[in-house]
Amino acid sequence: MPQNINQPSNQIRLTNVSLVRLKKGKKRFEIACYKNKVLEYRSGVETDLDNVLQIPSVFLSVSKGQTAPSQDLAKSFGAKTPLNDIIMEILNKGEMQVGEKERHAQLERVHNEVIDIVAGKLVDPKSKRVYTTGMIEKALDQLSSHGGATHKLDEGKTTGTATPTNGDASKEKAKEMPTWTGVVTTKSAKSQALEAMKALIAWQPIPVSRARMRLRVTCPTNVLKQAAKGSVKKEVEEEDADAESEKLTGTIKDRILSYVEQVETQDTVGQEWEIIGFVEPGAFKGLGEFINGETKGKGRVEVLDMAVTHEGD
């Protein structure tokens, strides 16, 4: 005869989870998340908590299915702290718990993603050809194996003829340059790829530059000769928080052309002017904002190719 098994009310069994653990006071608390979602949430890729948490509860032990008593939560986090705020604190500040095998697989997966992203966005400045993933990987290994890229300082040291002031200036300059120390699992592949590209461009272990975007810009002809507004915030690098403000003068057409590094074609069809050309990725956002603002939504920017490259033979 079947017997009913009574499971304690504070026990919840979960499988295939990624744990985030935080020690608060004298207690250790855990939350159960979906695998790979914690990093996406912390990097801003995922914003919906329902897609991150397997269950909106706080545990003393996820493996045992033991939820945290309310008195323990109140003692550690404060009696008036809502459960959602407690979960958010654990999710943002807690330590991810993964097994060695899973950690290695995750590191390899992120590593491959970073290499693929970088290889698709950097080219040889002269030939405009892409590098193989193997060449990109080797170049990044050069940087990481020398502590980011500081070996350049050692190579640039003189035999003693240079003044200490010049040496100090070189060191200070090198400290300000982006570095690369290898892939980690605590950041998204996209953000790490951006760091890797900046380091490669700064130190040039192999000749590299960002692949340009190919755009089509269309604008009504009746606004082209109008004077553009005096000041605009032009993004020097799309990912950089520090943007430079430049005073640019001239007509709207002049300003649009100032964003285009190389014009492929330009023509006027009826009441509309069209230009196809190549733009640095960092200038794309500024160009779009400028056209939208100056033409009051009548102009358009269309991406024809995100990264113009030539495949190697």
Side-chain angles (χ1 to χ4, degrees):
M1 182 176 178
Q3 293 182 344
N4 292 327
I5 300 177
N6 293 323
Q7 178 173 295
S9 59
N10 70 329
Q11 282 197 358
I12 302 173
R13 294 289 184 180
L14 295 171
T15 59
N16 194 33
V17 298
S18 180
L19 303 183
V20 180
R21 184 178 295 161
L22 179 69
K23 188 173 183 180
K24 187 85 169 180
K26 296 182 179 180
K27 292 285 186 177
R28 186 182 66 185
F29 301 96
E30 299 176 347
I31 55 175
C33 303
Y34 292 104
K35 289 186 176 181
N36 305 323
K37 285 296 181 180
V38 177
L39 290 180
E40 291 184 8
Y41 175 81
R42 288 180 173 178
S43 65
V45 175
E46 179 61 68
T47 57
D48 190 347
L49 278 179
D50 291 337
N51 295 332
V52 179
L53 300 173
Q54 286 216 10
I55 186 170
S57 298
V58 178
F59 295 80
L60 292 179
S61 174
V62 171
S63 61
K64 295 178 181 179
Q66 183 182 5
T67 56
S70 56
Q71 58 266 30
D72 287 354
L73 294 176
K75 186 176 180 180
S76 298
F77 294 91
K80 295 183 180 180
T81 306
L83 178 62
N84 191 62
D85 290 352
I86 295 174
I87 292 175
M88 292 290 290
E89 182 175 346
I90 298 173
L91 183 59
N92 288 317
K93 298 180 180 179
E95 180 184 355
M96 288 183 60
Q97 306 296 313
V98 294
E100 187 62 34
K101 186 176 180 181
E102 183 183 354
R103 185 181 294 108
H104 178 75
Q106 184 181 17
L107 185 63
E108 185 177 5
R109 181 171 59 252
V110 176
H111 174 82
N112 291 336
E113 286 182 31
V114 169
I115 298 298
D116 286 341
I117 293 172
V118 174
K121 293 184 179 294
L122 294 185
V123 295
D124 184 299
K126 293 183 178 180
S127 67
K128 304 302 180 185
R129 294 183 183 277
V130 295
Y131 286 103
T132 63
T133 54
M135 294 181 72
I136 293 295
E137 188 171 20
K138 185 177 180 180
L140 288 174
D141 285 344
Q142 281 183 257
L143 298 184
S144 60
S145 63
H146 291 85
T150 53
H151 66 292
K152 291 285 185 178
L153 275 179
D154 297 330
E155 293 175 2
K157 283 183 178 178
T158 64
T159 57
T161 55
T163 63
T165 304
N166 291 337
D168 292 342
S170 297
K171 289 181 180 180
E172 287 301 319
K173 183 178 180 181
K175 286 181 181 179
E176 295 175 359
M177 293 176 67
T179 59
W180 176 254
T181 55
V183 172
V184 296
T185 58
T186 53
K187 296 181 181 179
S188 70
K190 182 179 178 181
S191 65
Q192 292 186 82
L194 293 176
E195 293 174 4
M197 285 189 285
K198 290 177 182 178
L200 286 171
I201 292 172
W203 294 100
Q204 297 285 316
I206 55 176
V208 291
S209 64
R210 286 289 295 268
R212 298 176 301 175
M213 301 175 70
R214 185 168 175 262
L215 307 177
R216 176 189 287 120
V217 178
T218 54
C219 184
T221 55
N222 61 349
V223 303
L224 291 178
K225 293 184 179 181
Q226 294 179 10
K229 294 177 182 178
S231 179
V232 65
K233 199 171 188 180
K234 184 177 178 181
E235 295 288 341
V236 177
E237 188 67 44
E238 184 181 3
E239 301 84 10
D240 288 347
D242 298 327
E244 295 180 359
S245 288
E246 299 179 353
K247 285 276 186 177
L248 298 176
T249 57
T251 64
I252 290 177
K253 181 179 180 179
D254 292 334
R255 287 277 289 279
I256 291 174
L257 289 172
S258 72
Y259 283 94
V260 182
E261 190 177 88
Q262 179 184 343
V263 176
E264 186 176 291
T265 63
Q266 63 172 313
D267 196 9
T268 301
V269 180
Q271 302 298 313
E272 201 166 58
W273 173 69
E274 177 185 283
I275 179 174
I276 296 176
F278 301 94
V279 174
E280 286 291 330
F284 173 66
K285 183 179 179 181
L287 173 61
E289 291 177 347
F290 172 75
I291 290 177
N292 186 58
E294 293 288 342
T295 67
K296 297 180 180 179
K298 295 179 182 179
R300 300 186 304 277
V301 180
E302 179 185 355
V303 178
L304 302 179
D305 198 330
M306 281 295 294
V308 180
T309 61
H310 297 288
E311 296 294 335
D313 295 327

